[in-house]
mmCIF file with all atom_site columns, all heavy atoms in Angstrom:
data_model
loop_
_atom_site.group_PDB
_atom_site.id
_atom_site.type_symbol
_atom_site.label_atom_id
_atom_site.label_alt_id
_atom_site.label_comp_id
_atom_site.label_asym_id
_atom_site.label_entity_id
_atom_site.label_seq_id
_atom_site.pdbx_PDB_ins_code
_atom_site.Cartn_x
_atom_site.Cartn_y
_atom_site.Cartn_z
_atom_site.occupancy
_atom_site.B_iso_or_equiv
_atom_site.pdbx_formal_charge
_atom_site.auth_seq_id
_atom_site.auth_comp_id
_atom_site.auth_asym_id
_atom_site.auth_atom_id
_atom_site.pdbx_PDB_model_num
ATOM 1   N N   . GLN A 1 43  ? 48.193 135.130 78.204 1.00 0.00 ? 177 GLN A N   1
ATOM 2   C CA  . GLN A 1 43  ? 49.696 135.195 78.122 1.00 0.00 ? 177 GLN A CA  1
ATOM 3   C C   . GLN A 1 43  ? 50.345 134.656 79.408 1.00 0.00 ? 177 GLN A C   1
ATOM 4   O O   . GLN A 1 43  ? 51.587 134.498 79.467 1.00 0.00 ? 177 GLN A O   1
ATOM 5   C CB  . GLN A 1 43  ? 50.171 136.683 77.886 1.00 0.00 ? 177 GLN A CB  1
ATOM 6   C CG  . GLN A 1 43  ? 49.929 137.108 76.483 1.00 0.00 ? 177 GLN A CG  1
ATOM 7   C CD  . GLN A 1 43  ? 50.869 136.420 75.434 1.00 0.00 ? 177 GLN A CD  1
ATOM 8   O OE1 . GLN A 1 43  ? 52.098 136.206 75.720 1.00 0.00 ? 177 GLN A OE1 1
ATOM 9   N NE2 . GLN A 1 43  ? 50.368 136.066 74.302 1.00 0.00 ? 177 GLN A NE2 1
ATOM 10  N N   . ASP A 1 44  ? 49.586 134.315 80.436 1.00 0.00 ? 178 ASP A N   1
ATOM 11  C CA  . ASP A 1 44  ? 50.196 133.904 81.719 1.00 0.00 ? 178 ASP A CA  1
ATOM 12  C C   . ASP A 1 44  ? 50.980 132.634 81.665 1.00 0.00 ? 178 ASP A C   1
ATOM 13  O O   . ASP A 1 44  ? 50.508 131.578 81.269 1.00 0.00 ? 178 ASP A O   1
ATOM 14  C CB  . ASP A 1 44  ? 49.121 133.763 82.710 1.00 0.00 ? 178 ASP A CB  1
ATOM 15  C CG  . ASP A 1 44  ? 48.375 135.095 83.057 1.00 0.00 ? 178 ASP A CG  1
ATOM 16  O OD1 . ASP A 1 44  ? 48.596 136.061 82.358 1.00 0.00 ? 178 ASP A OD1 1
ATOM 17  O OD2 . ASP A 1 44  ? 47.451 135.139 83.956 1.00 0.00 ? 178 ASP A OD2 1
ATOM 18  N N   . ARG A 1 45  ? 52.315 132.779 82.091 1.00 0.00 ? 179 ARG A N   1
ATOM 19  C CA  . ARG A 1 45  ? 53.155 131.581 82.230 1.00 0.00 ? 179 ARG A CA  1
ATOM 20  C C   . ARG A 1 45  ? 53.944 131.745 83.480 1.00 0.00 ? 179 ARG A C   1
ATOM 21  O O   . ARG A 1 45  ? 54.193 130.672 84.125 1.00 0.00 ? 179 ARG A O   1
ATOM 22  C CB  . ARG A 1 45  ? 54.175 131.509 81.000 1.00 0.00 ? 179 ARG A CB  1
ATOM 23  C CG  . ARG A 1 45  ? 53.640 130.960 79.754 1.00 0.00 ? 179 ARG A CG  1
ATOM 24  C CD  . ARG A 1 45  ? 53.470 132.047 78.716 1.00 0.00 ? 179 ARG A CD  1
ATOM 25  N NE  . ARG A 1 45  ? 53.035 131.534 77.438 1.00 0.00 ? 179 ARG A NE  1
ATOM 26  C CZ  . ARG A 1 45  ? 51.741 131.450 77.107 1.00 0.00 ? 179 ARG A CZ  1
ATOM 27  N NH1 . ARG A 1 45  ? 50.687 131.685 77.921 1.00 0.00 ? 179 ARG A NH1 1
ATOM 28  N NH2 . ARG A 1 45  ? 51.467 131.016 75.806 1.00 0.00 ? 179 ARG A NH2 1
ATOM 29  N N   . ALA A 1 46  ? 54.305 132.881 83.897 1.00 0.00 ? 180 ALA A N   1
ATOM 30  C CA  . ALA A 1 46  ? 55.306 133.029 85.008 1.00 0.00 ? 180 ALA A CA  1
ATOM 31  C C   . ALA A 1 46  ? 54.734 132.680 86.398 1.00 0.00 ? 180 ALA A C   1
ATOM 32  O O   . ALA A 1 46  ? 53.603 132.955 86.725 1.00 0.00 ? 180 ALA A O   1
ATOM 33  C CB  . ALA A 1 46  ? 55.679 134.584 85.045 1.00 0.00 ? 180 ALA A CB  1
ATOM 34  N N   . LEU A 1 58  ? 62.025 131.982 89.682 1.00 0.00 ? 192 LEU A N   1
ATOM 35  C CA  . LEU A 1 58  ? 61.118 132.431 88.679 1.00 0.00 ? 192 LEU A CA  1
ATOM 36  C C   . LEU A 1 58  ? 61.057 131.534 87.463 1.00 0.00 ? 192 LEU A C   1
ATOM 37  O O   . LEU A 1 58  ? 62.104 131.318 86.873 1.00 0.00 ? 192 LEU A O   1
ATOM 38  C CB  . LEU A 1 58  ? 61.544 133.878 88.292 1.00 0.00 ? 192 LEU A CB  1
ATOM 39  C CG  . LEU A 1 58  ? 60.750 134.537 87.090 1.00 0.00 ? 192 LEU A CG  1
ATOM 40  C CD1 . LEU A 1 58  ? 59.268 134.643 87.415 1.00 0.00 ? 192 LEU A CD1 1
ATOM 41  C CD2 . LEU A 1 58  ? 61.313 135.902 86.732 1.00 0.00 ? 192 LEU A CD2 1
ATOM 42  N N   . PHE A 1 59  ? 59.917 130.981 87.214 1.00 0.00 ? 193 PHE A N   1
ATOM 43  C CA  . PHE A 1 59  ? 59.763 129.972 86.134 1.00 0.00 ? 193 PHE A CA  1
ATOM 44  C C   . PHE A 1 59  ? 59.080 130.687 84.848 1.00 0.00 ? 193 PHE A C   1
ATOM 45  O O   . PHE A 1 59  ? 58.064 131.350 85.027 1.00 0.00 ? 193 PHE A O   1
ATOM 46  C CB  . PHE A 1 59  ? 58.879 128.876 86.653 1.00 0.00 ? 193 PHE A CB  1
ATOM 47  C CG  . PHE A 1 59  ? 58.376 127.974 85.565 1.00 0.00 ? 193 PHE A CG  1
ATOM 48  C CD1 . PHE A 1 59  ? 59.233 127.163 84.749 1.00 0.00 ? 193 PHE A CD1 1
ATOM 49  C CD2 . PHE A 1 59  ? 56.992 127.909 85.301 1.00 0.00 ? 193 PHE A CD2 1
ATOM 50  C CE1 . PHE A 1 59  ? 58.791 126.369 83.801 1.00 0.00 ? 193 PHE A CE1 1
ATOM 51  C CE2 . PHE A 1 59  ? 56.536 126.999 84.278 1.00 0.00 ? 193 PHE A CE2 1
ATOM 52  C CZ  . PHE A 1 59  ? 57.399 126.273 83.511 1.00 0.00 ? 193 PHE A CZ  1
ATOM 53  N N   . ASP A 1 60  ? 59.690 130.634 83.779 1.00 0.00 ? 194 ASP A N   1
ATOM 54  C CA  . ASP A 1 60  ? 59.159 131.173 82.477 1.00 0.00 ? 194 ASP A CA  1
ATOM 55  C C   . ASP A 1 60  ? 58.618 132.550 82.658 1.00 0.00 ? 194 ASP A C   1
ATOM 56  O O   . ASP A 1 60  ? 57.389 132.756 82.567 1.00 0.00 ? 194 ASP A O   1
ATOM 57  C CB  . ASP A 1 60  ? 58.208 130.146 81.847 1.00 0.00 ? 194 ASP A CB  1
ATOM 58  C CG  . ASP A 1 60  ? 58.922 129.072 80.986 1.00 0.00 ? 194 ASP A CG  1
ATOM 59  O OD1 . ASP A 1 60  ? 60.157 129.156 80.890 1.00 0.00 ? 194 ASP A OD1 1
ATOM 60  O OD2 . ASP A 1 60  ? 58.209 128.250 80.443 1.00 0.00 ? 194 ASP A OD2 1
ATOM 61  N N   . ALA A 1 61  ? 59.536 133.506 82.839 1.00 0.00 ? 195 ALA A N   1
ATOM 62  C CA  . ALA A 1 61  ? 59.062 134.942 83.011 1.00 0.00 ? 195 ALA A CA  1
ATOM 63  C C   . ALA A 1 61  ? 58.094 135.433 81.962 1.00 0.00 ? 195 ALA A C   1
ATOM 64  O O   . ALA A 1 61  ? 57.149 136.119 82.184 1.00 0.00 ? 195 ALA A O   1
ATOM 65  C CB  . ALA A 1 61  ? 60.291 135.821 83.012 1.00 0.00 ? 195 ALA A CB  1
ATOM 66  N N   . GLY A 1 62  ? 58.317 135.011 80.722 1.00 0.00 ? 196 GLY A N   1
ATOM 67  C CA  . GLY A 1 62  ? 57.373 135.363 79.654 1.00 0.00 ? 196 GLY A CA  1
ATOM 68  C C   . GLY A 1 62  ? 57.181 136.861 79.525 1.00 0.00 ? 196 GLY A C   1
ATOM 69  O O   . GLY A 1 62  ? 58.171 137.628 79.693 1.00 0.00 ? 196 GLY A O   1
ATOM 70  N N   . ARG A 1 63  ? 56.002 137.275 79.090 1.00 0.00 ? 197 ARG A N   1
ATOM 71  C CA  . ARG A 1 63  ? 55.720 138.625 78.819 1.00 0.00 ? 197 ARG A CA  1
ATOM 72  C C   . ARG A 1 63  ? 54.994 139.337 79.887 1.00 0.00 ? 197 ARG A C   1
ATOM 73  O O   . ARG A 1 63  ? 54.718 140.626 79.782 1.00 0.00 ? 197 ARG A O   1
ATOM 74  C CB  . ARG A 1 63  ? 54.944 138.672 77.450 1.00 0.00 ? 197 ARG A CB  1
ATOM 75  C CG  . ARG A 1 63  ? 55.747 138.152 76.249 1.00 0.00 ? 197 ARG A CG  1
ATOM 76  C CD  . ARG A 1 63  ? 54.781 137.840 75.088 1.00 0.00 ? 197 ARG A CD  1
ATOM 77  N NE  . ARG A 1 63  ? 55.444 137.410 73.903 1.00 0.00 ? 197 ARG A NE  1
ATOM 78  C CZ  . ARG A 1 63  ? 54.938 136.619 72.961 1.00 0.00 ? 197 ARG A CZ  1
ATOM 79  N NH1 . ARG A 1 63  ? 53.708 136.162 73.126 1.00 0.00 ? 197 ARG A NH1 1
ATOM 80  N NH2 . ARG A 1 63  ? 55.655 136.319 71.939 1.00 0.00 ? 197 ARG A NH2 1
ATOM 81  N N   . THR A 1 64  ? 54.432 138.611 80.891 1.00 0.00 ? 198 THR A N   1
ATOM 82  C CA  . THR A 1 64  ? 53.564 139.262 81.920 1.00 0.00 ? 198 THR A CA  1
ATOM 83  C C   . THR A 1 64  ? 54.375 139.926 83.044 1.00 0.00 ? 198 THR A C   1
ATOM 84  O O   . THR A 1 64  ? 53.775 140.603 83.827 1.00 0.00 ? 198 THR A O   1
ATOM 85  C CB  . THR A 1 64  ? 52.554 138.259 82.378 1.00 0.00 ? 198 THR A CB  1
ATOM 86  O OG1 . THR A 1 64  ? 53.169 137.172 83.109 1.00 0.00 ? 198 THR A OG1 1
ATOM 87  C CG2 . THR A 1 64  ? 51.653 137.682 81.291 1.00 0.00 ? 198 THR A CG2 1
ATOM 88  N N   . VAL A 1 65  ? 55.620 139.404 83.280 1.00 0.00 ? 199 VAL A N   1
ATOM 89  C CA  . VAL A 1 65  ? 56.493 140.077 84.243 1.00 0.00 ? 199 VAL A CA  1
ATOM 90  C C   . VAL A 1 65  ? 56.958 141.395 83.618 1.00 0.00 ? 199 VAL A C   1
ATOM 91  O O   . VAL A 1 65  ? 57.593 141.333 82.586 1.00 0.00 ? 199 VAL A O   1
ATOM 92  C CB  . VAL A 1 65  ? 57.610 139.236 84.614 1.00 0.00 ? 199 VAL A CB  1
ATOM 93  C CG1 . VAL A 1 65  ? 58.567 139.973 85.602 1.00 0.00 ? 199 VAL A CG1 1
ATOM 94  C CG2 . VAL A 1 65  ? 57.135 137.907 85.306 1.00 0.00 ? 199 VAL A CG2 1
ATOM 95  N N   . ALA A 1 66  ? 56.626 142.492 84.213 1.00 0.00 ? 200 ALA A N   1
ATOM 96  C CA  . ALA A 1 66  ? 56.827 143.816 83.662 1.00 0.00 ? 200 ALA A CA  1
ATOM 97  C C   . ALA A 1 66  ? 58.372 144.282 83.762 1.00 0.00 ? 200 ALA A C   1
ATOM 98  O O   . ALA A 1 66  ? 58.629 145.294 84.374 1.00 0.00 ? 200 ALA A O   1
ATOM 99  C CB  . ALA A 1 66  ? 55.887 144.889 84.254 1.00 0.00 ? 200 ALA A CB  1
ATOM 100 N N   . GLY A 1 67  ? 59.218 143.420 83.283 1.00 0.00 ? 201 GLY A N   1
ATOM 101 C CA  . GLY A 1 67  ? 60.649 143.788 83.360 1.00 0.00 ? 201 GLY A CA  1
ATOM 102 C C   . GLY A 1 67  ? 61.193 143.626 84.729 1.00 0.00 ? 201 GLY A C   1
ATOM 103 O O   . GLY A 1 67  ? 60.522 143.262 85.684 1.00 0.00 ? 201 GLY A O   1
ATOM 104 N N   . LEU A 1 80  ? 64.307 130.035 85.503 1.00 0.00 ? 214 LEU A N   1
ATOM 105 C CA  . LEU A 1 80  ? 64.182 128.873 84.684 1.00 0.00 ? 214 LEU A CA  1
ATOM 106 C C   . LEU A 1 80  ? 63.544 129.304 83.365 1.00 0.00 ? 214 LEU A C   1
ATOM 107 O O   . LEU A 1 80  ? 62.699 130.093 83.349 1.00 0.00 ? 214 LEU A O   1
ATOM 108 C CB  . LEU A 1 80  ? 63.341 127.847 85.343 1.00 0.00 ? 214 LEU A CB  1
ATOM 109 C CG  . LEU A 1 80  ? 63.692 127.375 86.801 1.00 0.00 ? 214 LEU A CG  1
ATOM 110 C CD1 . LEU A 1 80  ? 62.682 126.283 87.302 1.00 0.00 ? 214 LEU A CD1 1
ATOM 111 C CD2 . LEU A 1 80  ? 65.115 126.849 86.831 1.00 0.00 ? 214 LEU A CD2 1
ATOM 112 N N   . VAL A 1 81  ? 64.093 128.757 82.254 1.00 0.00 ? 215 VAL A N   1
ATOM 113 C CA  . VAL A 1 81  ? 63.516 129.036 80.974 1.00 0.00 ? 215 VAL A CA  1
ATOM 114 C C   . VAL A 1 81  ? 63.399 127.667 80.199 1.00 0.00 ? 215 VAL A C   1
ATOM 115 O O   . VAL A 1 81  ? 64.433 127.020 79.886 1.00 0.00 ? 215 VAL A O   1
ATOM 116 C CB  . VAL A 1 81  ? 64.431 129.977 80.047 1.00 0.00 ? 215 VAL A CB  1
ATOM 117 C CG1 . VAL A 1 81  ? 63.710 130.364 78.804 1.00 0.00 ? 215 VAL A CG1 1
ATOM 118 C CG2 . VAL A 1 81  ? 64.722 131.242 80.902 1.00 0.00 ? 215 VAL A CG2 1
ATOM 119 N N   . HIS A 1 85  ? 61.163 130.327 72.909 1.00 0.00 ? 219 HIS A N   1
ATOM 120 C CA  . HIS A 1 85  ? 60.004 131.025 72.298 1.00 0.00 ? 219 HIS A CA  1
ATOM 121 C C   . HIS A 1 85  ? 59.631 132.280 73.126 1.00 0.00 ? 219 HIS A C   1
ATOM 122 O O   . HIS A 1 85  ? 59.807 132.300 74.330 1.00 0.00 ? 219 HIS A O   1
ATOM 123 C CB  . HIS A 1 85  ? 58.823 130.096 72.149 1.00 0.00 ? 219 HIS A CB  1
ATOM 124 C CG  . HIS A 1 85  ? 59.049 128.995 71.105 1.00 0.00 ? 219 HIS A CG  1
ATOM 125 N ND1 . HIS A 1 85  ? 58.248 127.906 70.983 1.00 0.00 ? 219 HIS A ND1 1
ATOM 126 C CD2 . HIS A 1 85  ? 60.016 128.852 70.168 1.00 0.00 ? 219 HIS A CD2 1
ATOM 127 C CE1 . HIS A 1 85  ? 58.718 127.137 70.029 1.00 0.00 ? 219 HIS A CE1 1
ATOM 128 N NE2 . HIS A 1 85  ? 59.803 127.720 69.505 1.00 0.00 ? 219 HIS A NE2 1
ATOM 129 N N   . GLY A 1 86  ? 59.203 133.317 72.294 1.00 0.00 ? 220 GLY A N   1
ATOM 130 C CA  . GLY A 1 86  ? 59.024 134.652 72.945 1.00 0.00 ? 220 GLY A CA  1
ATOM 131 C C   . GLY A 1 86  ? 58.130 134.694 74.188 1.00 0.00 ? 220 GLY A C   1
ATOM 132 O O   . GLY A 1 86  ? 58.247 135.484 75.168 1.00 0.00 ? 220 GLY A O   1
ATOM 133 N N   . ASP A 1 87  ? 57.089 133.785 74.176 1.00 0.00 ? 221 ASP A N   1
ATOM 134 C CA  . ASP A 1 87  ? 56.146 133.825 75.278 1.00 0.00 ? 221 ASP A CA  1
ATOM 135 C C   . ASP A 1 87  ? 56.717 133.137 76.563 1.00 0.00 ? 221 ASP A C   1
ATOM 136 O O   . ASP A 1 87  ? 56.087 133.273 77.641 1.00 0.00 ? 221 ASP A O   1
ATOM 137 C CB  . ASP A 1 87  ? 54.832 133.173 74.894 1.00 0.00 ? 221 ASP A CB  1
ATOM 138 C CG  . ASP A 1 87  ? 54.938 131.709 74.405 1.00 0.00 ? 221 ASP A CG  1
ATOM 139 O OD1 . ASP A 1 87  ? 55.920 131.447 73.710 1.00 0.00 ? 221 ASP A OD1 1
ATOM 140 O OD2 . ASP A 1 87  ? 54.058 130.880 74.750 1.00 0.00 ? 221 ASP A OD2 1
ATOM 141 N N   . HIS A 1 88  ? 57.946 132.515 76.437 1.00 0.00 ? 222 HIS A N   1
ATOM 142 C CA  . HIS A 1 88  ? 58.560 131.948 77.588 1.00 0.00 ? 222 HIS A CA  1
ATOM 143 C C   . HIS A 1 88  ? 59.770 132.653 78.012 1.00 0.00 ? 222 HIS A C   1
ATOM 144 O O   . HIS A 1 88  ? 59.851 133.151 79.252 1.00 0.00 ? 222 HIS A O   1
ATOM 145 C CB  . HIS A 1 88  ? 58.868 130.483 77.271 1.00 0.00 ? 222 HIS A CB  1
ATOM 146 C CG  . HIS A 1 88  ? 57.652 129.670 77.081 1.00 0.00 ? 222 HIS A CG  1
ATOM 147 N ND1 . HIS A 1 88  ? 57.025 128.929 77.995 1.00 0.00 ? 222 HIS A ND1 1
ATOM 148 C CD2 . HIS A 1 88  ? 56.798 129.661 75.987 1.00 0.00 ? 222 HIS A CD2 1
ATOM 149 C CE1 . HIS A 1 88  ? 55.959 128.367 77.560 1.00 0.00 ? 222 HIS A CE1 1
ATOM 150 N NE2 . HIS A 1 88  ? 55.781 128.820 76.299 1.00 0.00 ? 222 HIS A NE2 1
ATOM 151 N N   . VAL A 1 89  ? 60.706 132.913 77.128 1.00 0.00 ? 223 VAL A N   1
ATOM 152 C CA  . VAL A 1 89  ? 61.951 133.776 77.545 1.00 0.00 ? 223 VAL A CA  1
ATOM 153 C C   . VAL A 1 89  ? 61.569 135.159 77.611 1.00 0.00 ? 223 VAL A C   1
ATOM 154 O O   . VAL A 1 89  ? 62.237 135.919 78.442 1.00 0.00 ? 223 VAL A O   1
ATOM 155 C CB  . VAL A 1 89  ? 63.065 133.435 76.487 1.00 0.00 ? 223 VAL A CB  1
ATOM 156 C CG1 . VAL A 1 89  ? 62.680 134.048 75.135 1.00 0.00 ? 223 VAL A CG1 1
ATOM 157 C CG2 . VAL A 1 89  ? 64.420 133.928 76.989 1.00 0.00 ? 223 VAL A CG2 1
ATOM 158 N N   . GLY A 1 90  ? 60.562 135.604 76.927 1.00 0.00 ? 224 GLY A N   1
ATOM 159 C CA  . GLY A 1 90  ? 60.119 136.951 77.026 1.00 0.00 ? 224 GLY A CA  1
ATOM 160 C C   . GLY A 1 90  ? 60.786 137.883 76.019 1.00 0.00 ? 224 GLY A C   1
ATOM 161 O O   . GLY A 1 90  ? 61.803 138.530 76.311 1.00 0.00 ? 224 GLY A O   1
ATOM 162 N N   . ASN A 1 91  ? 60.207 137.959 74.794 1.00 0.00 ? 225 ASN A N   1
ATOM 163 C CA  . ASN A 1 91  ? 60.791 138.884 73.742 1.00 0.00 ? 225 ASN A CA  1
ATOM 164 C C   . ASN A 1 91  ? 60.281 140.262 73.953 1.00 0.00 ? 225 ASN A C   1
ATOM 165 O O   . ASN A 1 91  ? 60.795 141.273 73.358 1.00 0.00 ? 225 ASN A O   1
ATOM 166 C CB  . ASN A 1 91  ? 60.410 138.348 72.374 1.00 0.00 ? 225 ASN A CB  1
ATOM 167 C CG  . ASN A 1 91  ? 58.990 138.181 72.129 1.00 0.00 ? 225 ASN A CG  1
ATOM 168 O OD1 . ASN A 1 91  ? 58.158 138.243 73.086 1.00 0.00 ? 225 ASN A OD1 1
ATOM 169 N ND2 . ASN A 1 91  ? 58.554 137.977 70.883 1.00 0.00 ? 225 ASN A ND2 1
ATOM 170 N N   . ALA A 1 92  ? 59.140 140.398 74.704 1.00 0.00 ? 226 ALA A N   1
ATOM 171 C CA  . ALA A 1 92  ? 58.591 141.707 75.033 1.00 0.00 ? 226 ALA A CA  1
ATOM 172 C C   . ALA A 1 92  ? 57.777 141.534 76.311 1.00 0.00 ? 226 ALA A C   1
ATOM 173 O O   . ALA A 1 92  ? 57.700 140.409 76.883 1.00 0.00 ? 226 ALA A O   1
ATOM 174 C CB  . ALA A 1 92  ? 57.631 142.093 73.948 1.00 0.00 ? 226 ALA A CB  1
ATOM 175 N N   . HIS A 1 93  ? 57.445 142.697 76.927 1.00 0.00 ? 227 HIS A N   1
ATOM 176 C CA  . HIS A 1 93  ? 56.667 142.537 78.214 1.00 0.00 ? 227 HIS A CA  1
ATOM 177 C C   . HIS A 1 93  ? 55.771 143.796 78.409 1.00 0.00 ? 227 HIS A C   1
ATOM 178 O O   . HIS A 1 93  ? 55.904 144.779 77.714 1.00 0.00 ? 227 HIS A O   1
ATOM 179 C CB  . HIS A 1 93  ? 57.582 142.313 79.403 1.00 0.00 ? 227 HIS A CB  1
ATOM 180 C CG  . HIS A 1 93  ? 58.510 143.433 79.643 1.00 0.00 ? 227 HIS A CG  1
ATOM 181 N ND1 . HIS A 1 93  ? 58.207 144.570 80.265 1.00 0.00 ? 227 HIS A ND1 1
ATOM 182 C CD2 . HIS A 1 93  ? 59.879 143.474 79.297 1.00 0.00 ? 227 HIS A CD2 1
ATOM 183 C CE1 . HIS A 1 93  ? 59.325 145.377 80.343 1.00 0.00 ? 227 HIS A CE1 1
ATOM 184 N NE2 . HIS A 1 93  ? 60.334 144.685 79.750 1.00 0.00 ? 227 HIS A NE2 1
ATOM 185 N N   . SER A 1 94  ? 54.862 143.595 79.362 1.00 0.00 ? 228 SER A N   1
ATOM 186 C CA  . SER A 1 94  ? 53.912 144.709 79.705 1.00 0.00 ? 228 SER A CA  1
ATOM 187 C C   . SER A 1 94  ? 54.744 145.904 80.392 1.00 0.00 ? 228 SER A C   1
ATOM 188 O O   . SER A 1 94  ? 55.746 145.587 80.978 1.00 0.00 ? 228 SER A O   1
ATOM 189 C CB  . SER A 1 94  ? 52.823 144.229 80.589 1.00 0.00 ? 228 SER A CB  1
ATOM 190 O OG  . SER A 1 94  ? 53.346 143.670 81.832 1.00 0.00 ? 228 SER A OG  1
ATOM 191 N N   . MET A 1 107 ? 51.783 144.406 75.847 1.00 0.00 ? 241 MET A N   1
ATOM 192 C CA  . MET A 1 107 ? 53.111 143.784 75.700 1.00 0.00 ? 241 MET A CA  1
ATOM 193 C C   . MET A 1 107 ? 54.011 144.766 74.890 1.00 0.00 ? 241 MET A C   1
ATOM 194 O O   . MET A 1 107 ? 54.706 144.309 74.061 1.00 0.00 ? 241 MET A O   1
ATOM 195 C CB  . MET A 1 107 ? 53.054 142.413 75.083 1.00 0.00 ? 241 MET A CB  1
ATOM 196 C CG  . MET A 1 107 ? 52.244 141.388 75.860 1.00 0.00 ? 241 MET A CG  1
ATOM 197 S SD  . MET A 1 107 ? 52.172 139.808 75.047 1.00 0.00 ? 241 MET A SD  1
ATOM 198 C CE  . MET A 1 107 ? 51.001 140.182 73.724 1.00 0.00 ? 241 MET A CE  1
ATOM 199 N N   . ALA A 1 111 ? 61.967 143.539 74.660 1.00 0.00 ? 245 ALA A N   1
ATOM 200 C CA  . ALA A 1 111 ? 63.037 143.132 75.456 1.00 0.00 ? 245 ALA A CA  1
ATOM 201 C C   . ALA A 1 111 ? 64.189 142.585 74.521 1.00 0.00 ? 245 ALA A C   1
ATOM 202 O O   . ALA A 1 111 ? 65.049 141.877 74.948 1.00 0.00 ? 245 ALA A O   1
ATOM 203 C CB  . ALA A 1 111 ? 62.628 142.026 76.447 1.00 0.00 ? 245 ALA A CB  1
ATOM 204 N N   . SER A 1 115 ? 66.041 139.670 75.958 1.00 0.00 ? 249 SER A N   1
ATOM 205 C CA  . SER A 1 115 ? 64.960 138.936 76.478 1.00 0.00 ? 249 SER A CA  1
ATOM 206 C C   . SER A 1 115 ? 64.659 139.404 77.887 1.00 0.00 ? 249 SER A C   1
ATOM 207 O O   . SER A 1 115 ? 65.625 139.932 78.583 1.00 0.00 ? 249 SER A O   1
ATOM 208 C CB  . SER A 1 115 ? 65.285 137.396 76.578 1.00 0.00 ? 249 SER A CB  1
ATOM 209 O OG  . SER A 1 115 ? 66.107 137.090 77.636 1.00 0.00 ? 249 SER A OG  1
ATOM 210 N N   . ASN A 1 116 ? 63.476 139.250 78.266 1.00 0.00 ? 250 ASN A N   1
ATOM 211 C CA  . ASN A 1 116 ? 62.966 139.602 79.621 1.00 0.00 ? 250 ASN A CA  1
ATOM 212 C C   . ASN A 1 116 ? 63.715 138.825 80.744 1.00 0.00 ? 250 ASN A C   1
ATOM 213 O O   . ASN A 1 116 ? 64.162 139.415 81.637 1.00 0.00 ? 250 ASN A O   1
ATOM 214 C CB  . ASN A 1 116 ? 61.434 139.379 79.679 1.00 0.00 ? 250 ASN A CB  1
ATOM 215 C CG  . ASN A 1 116 ? 60.789 140.184 80.802 1.00 0.00 ? 250 ASN A CG  1
ATOM 216 O OD1 . ASN A 1 116 ? 61.329 141.100 81.274 1.00 0.00 ? 250 ASN A OD1 1
ATOM 217 N ND2 . ASN A 1 116 ? 59.532 139.768 81.121 1.00 0.00 ? 250 ASN A ND2 1
ATOM 218 N N   . SER A 1 117 ? 63.954 137.548 80.422 1.00 0.00 ? 251 SER A N   1
ATOM 219 C CA  . SER A 1 117 ? 64.664 136.717 81.444 1.00 0.00 ? 251 SER A CA  1
ATOM 220 C C   . SER A 1 117 ? 66.017 137.201 81.707 1.00 0.00 ? 251 SER A C   1
ATOM 221 O O   . SER A 1 117 ? 66.460 137.321 82.836 1.00 0.00 ? 251 SER A O   1
ATOM 222 C CB  . SER A 1 117 ? 64.748 135.248 80.910 1.00 0.00 ? 251 SER A CB  1
ATOM 223 O OG  . SER A 1 117 ? 63.419 134.671 80.779 1.00 0.00 ? 251 SER A OG  1
ATOM 224 N N   . ILE A 1 120 ? 66.032 140.577 83.620 1.00 0.00 ? 254 ILE A N   1
ATOM 225 C CA  . ILE A 1 120 ? 65.717 140.283 85.139 1.00 0.00 ? 254 ILE A CA  1
ATOM 226 C C   . ILE A 1 120 ? 66.935 139.717 85.828 1.00 0.00 ? 254 ILE A C   1
ATOM 227 O O   . ILE A 1 120 ? 67.257 140.103 86.921 1.00 0.00 ? 254 ILE A O   1
ATOM 228 C CB  . ILE A 1 120 ? 64.472 139.423 85.217 1.00 0.00 ? 254 ILE A CB  1
ATOM 229 C CG1 . ILE A 1 120 ? 63.260 140.147 84.722 1.00 0.00 ? 254 ILE A CG1 1
ATOM 230 C CG2 . ILE A 1 120 ? 64.245 139.027 86.724 1.00 0.00 ? 254 ILE A CG2 1
ATOM 231 C CD1 . ILE A 1 120 ? 62.004 139.149 84.488 1.00 0.00 ? 254 ILE A CD1 1
#
Side-chain angles (χ1 to χ4, degrees):
Q177 287 288 320
D178 295 6
R179 281 106 177 92
L192 173 62
F193 167 65
D194 274 357
R197 297 164 175 150
T198 63
V199 176
L214 307 177
V215 185
H219 292 163
D221 57 321
H222 295 262
V223 68
N225 57 350
H227 61 78
S228 60
M241 296 181 288
S249 79
N250 201 15
S251 297
I254 295 166

